[in-house]
Amino acid sequence: MIVDEPDALRVVGRAAELAELRAALVGLSRGRGGTVVVSGGAGIGKTTLVESVARIAEHYGITVARTYGIDDDGMPPLWPWRRLGRSVASVATALDRTDPVGTSAHARFAMFDDVATAVAAAAPAAGLLVVLEDLHWFDPSSMLLLEHVARAVLDRRVLLLCTSRRAEPSLGSSSSFALQGFSTDEVLQWLKGSVPHLAERRHAVRLRDATGGNPLFVRLLASRAEASGRLDFPSVLADDPTLRALALEPVSVLDADARDLLDHASVIGDRIDLVVLSEVAGTSAAWVESKLDDAFRAGALVADCDTGTVAFAHSLVRDATYADLSPSRRRALHCRYAQVLSRGESDAATTAVQWRRAGERAECARWARIAAEQATSILAYDEAAAMAALACEAAPSALATLERAEAEFAAGHVESSVELCERVVLQYPEDDDLVVRAAALVRGVGVPDLLMRVDRMCTAVLARAGIPAGAKARLLAGRAVAAAETDRPDAASRWSAESLELADSLLDDDTEVDDTDVNADAVLDAVRARHIALADMRHVKQRRELALRAIAVGPRASEALAELWGHLWLLQAALQTGDLNLVDEQIDVVQRIADRGALPVARWHYHRVCATRAALIGDMAAALRSNDDALAVSSSTGDLSLIGLHFAFLGQLAAVRGEVDEVTRSSILDAFEHAPNIPLVRIYEPLLASLAGDKDSARASFAPFRSMPSTARRGPRWTPLMTLVGTVAVALDDVETALDVYEQLREYAEYFMCDGSGVVFCGGSMARLLGDLASTARLDADADRYFTSAIEANDAIGARPFAAMSRFGLAEVRYRTGDTADVRELLAAAAAEFTALGLWARLRATRDLLDELDRLTPRERAVAAEVVEGLSNRHIAEKLFLSERTVETHVRNILAKLGCNRRADIAQVWRHG
């Protein structure tokens, strides 16, 4: 028989992996944690390697905790983490966390954060090794939670050691090993330790060729050879029947009763609870245990001492056993298992799946709905959507379709949710209540195609008779938002006004809005629609009033983020008017809302406004940190629009710096490949090209934007688009476009750059950009006036980068017009700020202008030569045919450039070069 393998042979071919994992264990003592993913196909040796590492960890005094995924569609959401909670109590406590926002799609983030903190804090002084096996069977929520935990343990004494059959995406700063099959030499080494009499190279070559070096198959084939006394097996194991027969060899020696039990067990899964198996088989647990002894001895099953369960020796054994069942027997066994599970509701998802496999559609739908509710209650929205889909497929109806749409929307699958809502509206027109709910379900979408589909649904439902006022207000609000986002500002204004009027009519003169949540929801939707319809700098006063109204109604509305919006809108209005005290007050409120409910979108908005605030005052390090924090939150939600704004912010920072490196440029453009094809996204191509010095490429890609100042209709994000078009026009010295943008933005000179369509970036006083545009258009007097105003406005709120940029712009204009009296002072102040803020490209431009300032022009050299000869200003004017006043200006400039205080000093400097 095959001898028990010593540790050194049990990990044949894994020396490099063991060395790196041993180093990772040692790193725990220095507080350096992390995540390692060991991947490879079935039987490749993942578990063997992990077990060896676990033994090393225990030898080092490191605590080891374990969990695993299960190959069962009905595995409850987050089950692997609940399994870990049995050995790490704080994880169980965090998973049982309840949140007042209940079914909010964002409350999940709070729970994930708690679990990540619990794992990170659970490590004793020597460290903690958490083994997570079979990630390929983890549910989506468990994988999302793993990403959170992986980031949390980077600087803690925790090492996450994972196994998976597939290559997993990066988890935090994870490393990974893709295990390969044994080489011929390694097969030979294994044979020497396990089957000595077969330890010949010719046998190792045949085993390697037949199995691809897969350690499990090597062992199985070597076992057959050991039993038969000769190495006799097919040369190719890729054929399914052969593989199945090979995997079923341990089962083939069992009697009929034991094989029957294994048939039942294969329906249950890889790991089997003996009590459950006895119930499914309809016999006693003692009899089951006695009959399975033969399966243990044959190597078909193994015991899991940690859980008190038994498991198939390998998933291939279970898969082959299940595949050998006839269709009718398979359905019957699934029906029996479903009946056992139906005695309770603790595992509704597994119950639903078993009823589906048994072919019982009604029972499948009933249990799937229960499972969806259970998943929603623990914030596992992807799993809730899957169960709602199962219920809808098993028993289609208007309600089932709408419930599926709601689950998909909560999980962030917006397009799928819209499609399901359309199905309700079109296929089930007889149910007015459900049709209205479907049309009003999807909110907060910015994708034009989806918005138009929502608009069509709202239009169709509004055409019905007898629609309640509250529902009508919400449907009109949906139409208004769609119109605002798809370049129909007039319709957006009209419908949003109608929606708000209807929402107001829901309330009696003496009735507060909190009498019913339905009314509060209608008012909030109407206010939201009106706010986006007025997303223009001209309407800041009205937007401020709407923000205050939203703040009043928010706590009473059912929407999870209802409380947030009014404060964000008030913050935007305060930023536009330069009221940073109010901005800071609202940032504090947004932080409290985010911390109280731990809602991901609230946290994202908090980090976004912090990034904008930091960039405004020139704290670039803090701005980048907050931008990265926002990216981490948006990545956890999977919302590409939120992720894209991280890169938009990087593009705006590059514009402030006046340069962009190729890595940043490429990362922004790559990210925008997945963004909507709209002008506000496309403008970054010429912007980044101009910042990179690629002027020809910038001009080519900028061509379609040159007409936009006169053709683009005002609406949400029109102002940000115009400011970016103007910025590129200045960079390319495009006089015509700069003048067009200048004419469009002049009325906003008193404001700061924020228009109510969302806080992504604030470029300081609008007067600064107007100064740049006027300077490019050679309107020097206007440029001087706007730059002067911008310096005062930016200085007043501490917008250091933009104040310095305004000083440089003013110096440039005055130098060009010959009014150089204070140019050196302006440039010196700008240079000091650019140095302090690390804006090196702008510092270089400032120094270049200072150098140019120090160089005498030909006319100045002619005047200086006459001064050296002792001529007066009047005589110089007569000799050079200039006015005496012009000569005075030239002399003043010469004194400044040469650093002289008196005319007499000019001669001394002149003579010494």
Side-chain angles (χ1 to χ4, degrees):
M1 66 186 285
I2 294 180
V3 299
D4 196 19
E5 300 171 352
D7 284 353
L9 296 175
R10 202 169 289 173
V11 287
V12 167
R14 309 302 184 212
E17 290 87 348
L18 267 180
E20 188 162 341
L21 288 167
R22 190 179 286 110
L25 293 175
V26 172
L28 293 180
S29 64
R30 297 193 290 272
R32 192 172 67 241
T35 303
V36 178
V37 180
V38 180
S39 63
I44 201 66
K46 302 182 294 295
T47 298
T48 299
L49 176 62
V50 166
E51 288 302 319
S52 297
V53 174
R55 287 195 294 274
I56 294 171
E58 290 168 346
H59 178 71
Y60 289 169
I62 295 170
T63 301
V64 180
R66 303 168 186 268
T67 189
Y68 48 81
I70 300 175
D71 181 18
D72 193 321
D73 291 344
M75 181 180 68
L78 299 176
W79 185 90
W81 291 98
R82 295 189 181 280
R83 173 69 186 79
L84 181 64
R86 299 178 191 176
S87 52
V88 184
S90 57
V91 170
T93 301
L95 285 167
D96 290 335
R97 175 187 186 276
T98 58
D99 193 288
V101 296
T103 60
S104 162
H106 315 296
R108 173 173 61 183
F109 186 89
M111 182 179 66
F112 283 7
D113 197 37
D114 287 348
V115 173
T117 301
V119 173
L128 172 65
L129 172 67
V130 180
V131 177
L132 304 101
E133 291 201 74
D134 299 331
L135 295 189
H136 50 277
W137 289 330
F138 273 39
D139 56 282
S141 289
S142 291
M143 287 302 297
L144 281 175
L145 177 50
L146 177 57
E147 293 178 16
H148 280 248
V149 175
R151 287 192 291 269
V153 302
L154 288 176
D155 57 350
R156 306 302 288 268
R157 299 173 187 267
V158 180
L159 177 64
L160 306 178
L161 180 55
C162 312
T163 69
S164 178
R165 287 186 184 176
R166 61 178 179 245
E168 297 293 342
S170 177
L171 301 168
S173 297
S174 63
S175 58
S176 61
F177 307 124
L179 297 185
Q180 306 299 319
F182 288 162
S183 66
T184 298
D185 287 341
E186 289 164 348
V187 172
L188 182 59
Q189 181 186 351
W190 184 87
L191 288 172
K192 288 177 180 178
S194 301
V195 196
H197 76 274
L198 291 177
E200 300 179 24
R201 175 163 288 276
R202 62 190 179 93
H203 295 322
V205 169
R206 292 189 66 196
L207 278 169
R208 175 67 179 81
D209 289 344
T211 65
N214 183 291
L216 172 68
F217 295 157
V218 169
R219 182 182 177 89
L220 287 173
L221 290 173
S223 297
R224 175 189 288 181
E226 176 73 6
S228 64
R230 60 194 178 89
L231 199 63
D232 183 20
F233 50 87
S235 61
V236 178
L237 290 176
D239 181 66
D240 286 348
T242 304
L243 285 173
R244 187 178 308 146
L246 183 62
L248 284 174
E249 277 196 352
V251 179
S252 64
V253 301
L254 302 177
D255 64 22
D257 288 338
R259 288 200 302 271
D260 182 67
L261 279 177
L262 289 185
D263 287 350
H264 285 79
S266 72
V267 169
I268 295 174
D270 282 324
R271 288 178 169 85
I272 309 108
D273 186 304
L274 293 181
V275 174
V276 173
L277 178 58
S278 66
E279 292 184 44
V280 174
T283 186
S284 69
W287 186 85
V288 167
E289 193 166 352
S290 67
K291 293 306 297 180
L292 291 185
D293 283 344
D294 291 341
F296 282 108
R297 284 190 290 271
L301 297 178
V302 294
D304 188 334
C305 298
D306 287 342
T307 63
T309 62
V310 299
F312 282 95
H314 194 276
S315 61
L316 292 178
V317 178
R318 183 253 174 164
D319 294 343
T321 302
Y322 185 80
D324 262 11
L325 298 174
S326 68
S328 60
R329 177 161 171 74
R330 192 177 297 165
R331 284 195 299 272
L333 292 179
H334 280 300
C335 185
R336 179 60 187 155
Y337 185 26
Q339 289 170 345
V340 170
L341 291 172
S342 297
R343 296 170 188 167
E345 290 190 1
S346 60
D347 197 356
T350 301
T351 307
V353 170
Q354 292 302 318
W355 281 121
R356 181 189 66 181
R357 292 173 178 170
E360 298 291 338
R361 298 171 67 89
E363 284 298 302
C364 170
R366 183 169 75 88
W367 284 97
R369 290 184 72 180
I370 295 171
E373 292 172 1
Q374 290 178 346
T376 299
S377 71
I378 62 170
L379 315 177
Y381 297 106
D382 287 307
E383 292 75 11
M387 287 295 106
L390 180 57
C392 188
E393 290 164 6
S397 69
L399 180 59
T401 306
L402 179 59
E403 288 176 343
R404 182 181 175 189
E406 291 170 339
E408 294 284 358
F409 188 66
H413 309 150
V414 179
E415 185 166 3
S416 175
S417 181
V418 170
E419 181 179 340
L420 290 163
C421 289
E422 289 172 327
R423 191 181 304 172
V424 173
V425 172
L426 294 174
Q427 295 183 6
Y428 304 98
E430 68 281 356
D431 196 324
D432 285 343
D433 180 58
L434 294 183
V435 166
V436 169
R437 282 173 56 188
L441 172 63
V442 177
R443 292 172 295 177
V445 178
V447 181
D449 176 61
L450 295 181
L451 282 167
M452 293 307 298
R453 291 165 66 181
V454 171
D455 186 27
R456 285 193 290 271
M457 281 191 288
C458 292
T459 302
V461 178
L462 282 168
R464 294 173 173 233
I467 299 296
K472 189 172 183 181
R474 300 190 72 186
L475 294 170
L476 281 169
R479 293 212 68 192
V481 171
E485 294 282 9
T486 54
D487 198 26
R488 292 176 291 156
D490 294 340
S493 179
R494 183 173 68 257
W495 290 330
S496 64
E498 290 179 24
S499 173
L500 193 57
E501 184 178 354
L502 268 174
D504 287 340
S505 73
L506 296 172
L507 310 174
D508 296 330
D509 293 340
D510 57 350
T511 302
E512 293 297 329
V513 73
D514 61 339
D515 280 357
T516 64
D517 282 348
V518 173
N519 288 351
D521 289 340
V523 171
L524 184 62
D525 276 0
V527 169
R528 186 203 327 270
R530 190 62 179 159
H531 185 273
I532 196 168
L534 297 177
D536 184 289
M537 298 181 85
R538 294 172 295 183
H539 305 306
V540 63
K541 182 178 178 181
Q542 296 97 309
R543 294 201 321 272
R544 185 184 180 109
E545 293 169 354
L546 289 168
L548 294 172
R549 186 166 185 184
I551 290 171
V553 74
R556 304 168 183 89
S558 62
E559 183 185 340
L561 291 172
E563 227 181 321
L564 176 68
W565 303 124
H567 293 288
L568 284 176
W569 299 338
L570 185 58
L571 186 154
Q572 293 170 25
L575 194 56
Q576 180 182 331
T577 55
D579 187 350
L580 289 200
N581 289 330
L582 183 55
V583 168
D584 292 339
E585 288 176 11
Q586 297 309 301
I587 289 177
D588 289 342
V589 175
V590 171
Q591 182 181 22
R592 288 198 296 273
I593 293 172
D595 290 344
R596 182 172 66 246
L599 308 177
V601 172
R603 288 193 179 193
W604 179 84
H605 277 291
Y606 169 68
H607 293 310
R608 279 262 56 87
V609 295
C610 285
T612 298
R613 177 72 167 84
L616 180 63
I617 63 172
D619 190 346
M620 300 305 177
L624 287 171
R625 282 196 303 273
S626 292
N627 194 45
D628 287 343
D629 289 340
L631 176 63
V633 175
S634 58
S635 296
S636 73
T637 68
D639 190 323
L640 293 179
S641 64
L642 303 188
I643 294 171
L645 291 179
H646 165 84
F647 294 96
F649 186 84
L650 293 180
Q652 296 273 16
L653 275 187
V656 173
R657 290 193 173 100
E659 62 181 346
V660 66
D661 61 82
E662 191 54 39
V663 172
T664 302
R665 179 186 179 187
S666 297
S667 69
I668 296 171
L669 295 178
D670 288 347
F672 286 173
E673 284 291 323
H674 309 288
N677 185 27
I678 57 176
L680 192 56
V681 171
R682 298 199 312 270
I683 187 62
Y684 278 87
E685 184 178 354
L687 173 68
L688 295 171
S690 67
L691 293 171
D694 188 357
K695 301 293 186 180
D696 291 339
S697 175
R699 289 189 182 91
S701 56
F702 186 58
F705 294 91
R706 300 187 70 235
S707 63
M708 286 189 182
S710 57
T711 60
R713 302 185 66 179
R714 295 182 188 238
R717 288 172 285 282
W718 176 86
T719 306
L721 174 62
M722 287 301 106
T723 59
L724 287 170
V725 170
T727 299
V728 178
V730 170
L732 298 178
D733 199 27
D734 184 337
V735 175
E736 181 181 349
T737 307
L739 182 59
D740 288 344
V741 175
Y742 172 74
E743 293 297 338
Q744 293 290 337
L745 296 180
R746 286 179 68 180
E747 62 182 302
Y748 304 143
E750 65 183 291
Y751 297 122
F752 292 83
M753 294 188 199
C754 183
D755 70 342
S757 58
V759 177
V760 177
F761 198 83
C762 178
S765 170
M766 180 64 80
R768 192 265 311 167
L769 177 60
L770 290 170
D772 280 336
L773 294 166
S775 178
T776 301
R778 306 302 186 263
L779 303 174
D780 293 332
D782 287 359
D784 192 299
R785 184 174 70 257
Y786 282 125
F787 279 133
T788 302
S789 175
I791 292 170
E792 181 180 354
N794 286 319
D795 279 345
I797 66 168
R800 295 171 60 193
F802 308 105
M805 291 161 67
S806 302
R807 286 185 167 85
F808 175 81
L810 181 58
E812 201 171 34
V813 168
R814 290 186 175 176
Y815 175 72
R816 187 171 67 228
T817 60
D819 184 10
T820 58
D822 58 353
V823 168
R824 187 179 299 277
E825 180 184 347
L826 288 166
L827 291 175
E833 281 287 56
F834 292 148
T835 301
L837 299 174
L839 304 180
W840 308 121
R842 295 201 176 275
L843 177 63
R844 289 192 296 272
T846 305
R847 287 177 172 170
D848 287 346
L849 188 53
L850 278 168
D851 290 343
E852 187 175 335
L853 185 65
D854 289 336
R855 291 194 296 270
L856 298 184
T857 66
R859 176 62 72 186
E860 288 169 344
R861 293 184 66 83
V863 171
E866 301 303 331
V867 171
V868 170
E869 294 298 324
L871 271 65
S872 67
N873 287 350
R874 183 170 60 83
H875 288 106
I876 295 173
E878 292 173 353
K879 185 174 181 178
L880 299 180
F881 305 101
L882 300 172
S883 70
E884 190 170 347
R885 185 171 181 178
T886 298
V887 172
E888 289 175 0
T889 298
H890 284 314
V891 171
R892 188 164 58 248
N893 289 342
I894 293 167
L895 289 169
K897 289 182 179 182
L898 299 183
C900 301
N901 294 319
R902 300 171 303 159
R903 291 172 69 95
D905 295 335
I906 294 176
Q908 185 175 5
V909 172
W910 189 264
R911 293 189 183 100
H912 290 84

